[in-house]
């Protein structure tokens, strides 16, 4: 009953935001793809290098020797899901000039569903401060690499048909029941339902298809690597997405087989067994729509670089 009330409240909260249809069309003032908040988003994280500033012309992108130099990132969350686990790392500094050439990492989080949080919708990542010292007063051309990794979640809301006789008139026992997918590196493109009556209940089969944005599939990483302190991006050859299914008839989640992504696409089949055809009082509630959602969990990573020069003082 708690789960049912929760999902009813969810559907009320979802009214009034934007979403993308299967065709890619943006429809305004409708539901988002997030199942627990009305925050509307159109992507995931955006990363901007603040120091050294890549927006400056190259001849102004200079750091003077013996001056303080502290790399810095600005990260904003343009999606619908919170990022509570993330790591940002830098590498590429010259050992002789900066006294450091390894990998420095910092944790970060940036949420969209907690307005009172200090990292609500944006955060800054500060790295250690360095004081470069040139050798023989020669100008040094330097490239600094930033590696940003984080856990992310995509949601797919669906409205399934539940009835004891698949031939009975009313809702369709077979077909695509996806209402909306949240935006991000991964989107849900279809949730095709197959209904299997089992007497006093039904088994609901959900055939799920997902798509990775073109050119992004190589950036999917293992979820557990999102918090790793590593100045590299080890993208899985065949990235894996973990999937859970929730429905108002359930008092918890159903784990689905992982999705193996190949050529930017992937599929899995979720089986939700024992969906009742009657309520707790024994009243028949067959031939009805039942709301639920899928939760797709994965790791995502990107690398940004900036070139600058270390120049003599004076």
């Amino acid at each position: 009953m708690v789960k049912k009330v929760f999902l009813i409240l969810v559907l009320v909260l979802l009214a009034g935001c934007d979403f993308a249809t299967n065709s890619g069309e943006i429809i305004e003032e409708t539901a988002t793809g997030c199942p627990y908040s009305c925050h509307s988003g159109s992507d995931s994280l955006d990363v901007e290098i603040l120091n050294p500033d890549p927006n400056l012309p190259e001849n102004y992108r200079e750091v003077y020797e013996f001056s303080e130099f502290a790399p810095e990132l600005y990260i904003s969350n343009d999606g619908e899901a919170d990022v509570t686990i993330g790591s940002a790392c830098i590498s590429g500094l010259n050992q002789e000039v900066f006294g450091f050439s390894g990998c420095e990492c910092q944790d970060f989080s940036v949420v969209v569903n907690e307005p009172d949080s200090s990292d609500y919708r944006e955060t800054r990542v500060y790295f250690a401060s360095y004081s470069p010292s040139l050798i023989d007063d020669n100008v040094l051309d330097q490239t600094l690499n930033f590696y940003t990794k984080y856990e992310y979640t995509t949601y797919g809301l669906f409205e399934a048909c539940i009835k004891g006789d698949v031939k009975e008139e009313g809702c369709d026992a077979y077909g695509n029941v996806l209402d909306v997918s949240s935006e991000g590196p991964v989107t849900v493109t279809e949730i095709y339902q197959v209904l299997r009556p089992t007497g006093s209940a039904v088994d609901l089969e959900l055939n799920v298809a997902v798509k990775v944005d073109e050119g992004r599939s190589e950036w999917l990483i293992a979820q557990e690597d999102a918090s790793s302190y590593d100045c590299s991006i080890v993208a899985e050859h065949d990235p894996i997405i973990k999937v859970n299914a929730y429905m108002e008839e359930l008092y918890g989640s159903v784990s689905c087989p992982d999705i193996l992504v190949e050529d930017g696409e992937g599929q899995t089949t979720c089986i939700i067994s024992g969906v009742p055809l009657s309520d707790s009082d024994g009243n028949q509630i067959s031939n009805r729509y039942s709301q639920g959602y899928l939760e797709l969990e994965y790791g995502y990573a990107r690398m940004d670089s900036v070139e600058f020069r270390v120049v003599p003082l004076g």
Side-chain angles (χ1 to χ4, degrees), residues 7-18:
L7 279 171
I8 291 173
L9 290 173
V10 162
L11 294 174
V12 172
L13 287 172
L14 287 177
C17 301
D18 299 346

Side-chain angles (χ1 to χ4, degrees), residues 7 11 27 36 63 71 75 83-84 89 103 115 120 129 164 184 201 203 213 216 234 236 239 259 271 311:
L7 279 171
L11 294 174
I27 300 180
Y36 57 82
V63 173
I75 301 177
V83 173
T84 57
C89 306
C103 178
Y120 175 62
S129 179
D203 292 343
D213 283 359
R216 279 177 151 178
V234 183
E236 296 184 46
I259 294 177
I271 304 294
V311 297

Side-chain angles (χ1 to χ4, degrees), residues 52-71:
D53 186 353
N55 296 313
L56 291 174
E58 286 188 32
N59 56 329
Y60 285 95
R61 210 179 301 151
E62 298 177 339
V63 173
Y64 289 101
E65 66 172 332
F66 308 124
S67 64
E68 183 177 302
F69 169 68

Side-chain angles (χ1 to χ4, degrees), residues 25-146:
E25 178 186 5
I26 301 299
I27 300 180
E28 297 180 353
E29 298 183 353
T30 52
T32 68
C34 49
Y36 57 82
S37 170
C38 196
H39 179 272
S40 179
S42 59
D43 205 337
S44 53
L45 296 194
D46 184 61
V47 178
E48 179 183 354
I49 301 173
L50 295 183
N51 192 30
D53 186 353
N55 296 313
L56 291 174
E58 286 188 32
N59 56 329
Y60 285 95
R61 210 179 301 151
E62 298 177 339
V63 173
Y64 289 101
E65 66 172 332
F66 308 124
S67 64
E68 183 177 302
F69 169 68
E72 183 180 346
L73 281 181
Y74 171 79
I75 301 177
S76 59
N77 191 338
D78 300 320
E80 299 176 20
D82 293 333
V83 173
T84 57
I85 296 178
S87 64
C89 306
I90 59 169
S91 72
L93 295 178
N94 184 286
Q95 172 68 39
E96 292 183 292
V97 174
F98 289 91
F100 175 81
S101 62
C103 178
E104 182 196 343
C105 299
Q106 303 288 340
D107 294 326
F108 74 87
S109 63
V110 55
V111 300
V112 293
N113 298 295
E114 300 175 32
D116 295 331
S117 175
S118 61
D119 53 3
Y120 175 62
R121 300 195 66 173
E122 60 184 18
T123 190
R124 294 195 179 201
V125 180
Y126 302 93
F127 296 92
S129 179
Y130 302 93
S131 180
S133 178
L134 287 169
I135 303 168
D136 300 327
D137 288 333
N138 292 322
V139 171
L140 172 71
D141 292 322
Q142 178 77 71
T143 299
L144 184 59
N145 300 316
F146 293 82

Side-chain angles (χ1 to χ4, degrees), residues 186-292:
V186 178
T187 54
V188 183
T189 58
E190 183 179 66
I191 303 176
Y192 191 93
Q193 127 168 356
V194 176
L195 202 61
R196 306 188 189 283
T198 60
S200 61
V202 295
D203 292 343
L204 181 63
E205 176 182 309
L206 300 175
N207 298 294
V208 181
V210 304
K211 178 185 68 175
V212 180
D213 283 359
E214 184 178 357
R216 279 177 151 178
S217 58
E218 69 272 17
W219 298 109
L220 285 178
I221 61 174
Q223 188 178 15
E224 55 270 21
D225 289 341
S227 58
S228 65
Y229 279 5
D230 183 14
C231 282
S232 65
I233 296 177
V234 183
E236 296 184 46
H237 178 65
D238 294 312
I240 289 177
I241 300 171
K242 298 177 182 178
V243 183
N244 295 310
Y246 298 80
M247 237 176 75
E248 65 180 29
E249 273 77 12
L250 304 179
Y251 294 94
S253 65
V254 172
S255 295
C256 309
D258 294 341
I259 294 177
L260 185 67
V261 176
E262 297 179 296
D263 298 325
E265 297 181 343
Q267 297 180 334
T268 191
T269 298
C270 300
I271 304 294
I272 301 177
S273 302
V275 180
L277 293 173
S278 59
D279 60 22
S280 58
D281 296 324
N283 299 315
Q284 289 294 314
I285 49 174
S286 182
N287 205 337
R288 71 190 190 279
Y289 290 104
S290 180
Q291 287 79 27

Side-chain angles (χ1 to χ4, degrees), residues 299-312:
Y300 190 62
R302 59 181 288 171
M303 185 184 77
D304 299 273
S305 299
V306 58
E307 296 179 353
F308 65 100
R309 300 190 305 168
V310 181
V311 297

